[in-house]
Amino acid sequence: MLSVQILGTGEYVPSHCVYSSALDERWHKPAGWIARHAGIERRYYATEDETSSLMAARAAHSALVAAGLEAGELDCIVSACSVMEQAIPCSAVLIQRQLGLGESGIPAFDINATCLSFLAALDTMSMAIAAGRYRRVLIVSSEIASAGLREDDADTAMLFGDGAGAVVLGPASKESGAGIRGAHFETYAVGAELCQVRSGGTRIRPRGNMQAFLDGACFEMHGRHTYRMAAQRLPAFLERLSACAGTSLDHIDRIIPHQASAKALAHLEALLGVPAGKLVKVLVERGNQMAASIPVTLHHAVTTGKVKRGDAVALIGSGAGLSFGGAILTY
């Protein structure tokens, strides 16, 4: 077990609340249609003034307060977002500046694995802390999904919301018993085109074909195929994750899943056969916040007392790729 502890968690909720009833009207659906089909009553969209880095800094401040630390006591800042605020520089640089640390020299970099970015960063930075490379690490996932949604794709657009979640990691004391028991990741690139944003990198070049660049700037998802592929591979993945941690999910106190969709959460709950309440859910009031989903759900669990010190907690998710990831820890 890696002797690493989550010292504090935080969240930032954007200012614009969007109820599913308003989206029913926008897309000419019967009253209550989106709430029934998506399992979401409301989600939040960032305004133009709420940049990804600003939201990240607000969530980070909340996590630092919970950890009893000042921003200047950090020795690494990691942005773990699905989509960067801009192509260059990395989002962590912009977050460092938003935290008032622009002259600090504190290293700042991104770790990207789409919706699994937070878990990938947690795994990577836990090993770095255990090795003595860092002592106080901020990991923050800040997402503005609404910026890339297609207005004509109600089935996809209704699922997503914006927001930011953060944690501060540090070494665990022997007395706390906290630590990372195990983590496991798998990727099946045969599903690479099921969820994608084609523009923004070097594949589609705006000077060569601006219309193609604009067409590829929105999120595209083949929802049914993604769900089917994920459902087929999830059981075996969960077995391998449990084996890596030397435990079973039956012995876990709380499960913090990626809030992908109501259907995905119901499938996971049925697959595991766990009692009601063991899976922590915030989908109904947050929507799918991409990489921010897991840290936001964890923050909710901690602040509502659903996760307490000493609890065994499993963080589980999937992301574009198609990828699966999970970490089992003692909080």
Side-chain angles (χ1 to χ4, degrees), residues 197-259:
V197 176
R198 293 177 290 114
S199 295
T202 58
R203 179 181 176 184
I204 301 177
R205 305 178 185 185
R207 286 180 296 182
N209 190 334
M210 177 57 77
Q211 189 56 54
F213 183 83
L214 296 174
D215 291 343
C218 288
F219 178 66
E220 302 167 354
M221 180 173 71
H222 300 282
R224 292 181 181 178
H225 290 87
T226 302
Y227 175 80
R228 188 179 302 116
M229 183 175 176
Q232 289 172 347
R233 288 168 169 77
L234 183 60
F237 165 77
L238 292 175
E239 289 182 6
R240 288 187 282 268
L241 170 63
S242 297
C244 286
T247 187
S248 73
L249 293 179
D250 293 335
H251 298 126
I252 299 298
D253 296 304
R254 294 288 181 182
I255 298 173
I256 310 294
H258 171 49
Q259 310 288 298

Side-chain angles (χ1 to χ4, degrees), residues 50-122:
E50 291 173 306
T51 62
S52 178
S53 57
L54 181 143
M55 296 196 308
R58 299 282 175 83
H61 176 73
S62 177
L64 286 163
V65 169
L69 297 171
E70 298 291 335
E73 296 180 82
L74 295 169
D75 54 13
C76 188
I77 297 169
V78 178
S79 173
C81 307
S82 297
V83 182
M84 298 168 65
E85 183 170 320
Q86 61 188 64
I88 296 175
C90 68
S91 293
V93 170
L94 305 179
I95 295 168
Q96 188 209 61
R97 185 172 63 184
Q98 287 280 1
L99 287 170
L101 300 172
E103 293 283 357
S104 68
I106 296 171
F109 51 84
D110 290 10
I111 293 178
N112 184 288
T114 62
C115 291
L116 291 176
S117 295
F118 175 78
L119 286 179
L122 178 69

Side-chain angles (χ1 to χ4, degrees), residues 170-190:
S173 64
K174 292 182 179 179
E175 296 77 19
S176 71
I180 310 295
R181 298 186 184 185
H184 184 62
F185 295 83
E186 296 178 4
T187 297
Y188 300 92
V190 292

Side-chain angles (χ1 to χ4, degrees), residues 134-181:
Y134 300 109
R135 287 191 56 80
R136 299 286 185 264
V137 176
L138 169 70
I139 301 175
V140 57
S141 300
S142 182
E143 303 281 25
I144 304 181
S146 60
L149 299 177
R150 292 187 182 276
E151 283 294 320
D152 61 350
D153 186 4
D155 289 343
T156 297
M158 69 180 181
L159 297 174
F160 291 90
D162 304 339
V167 303
V168 178
L169 295 181
S173 64
K174 292 182 179 179
E175 296 77 19
S176 71
I180 310 295
R181 298 186 184 185

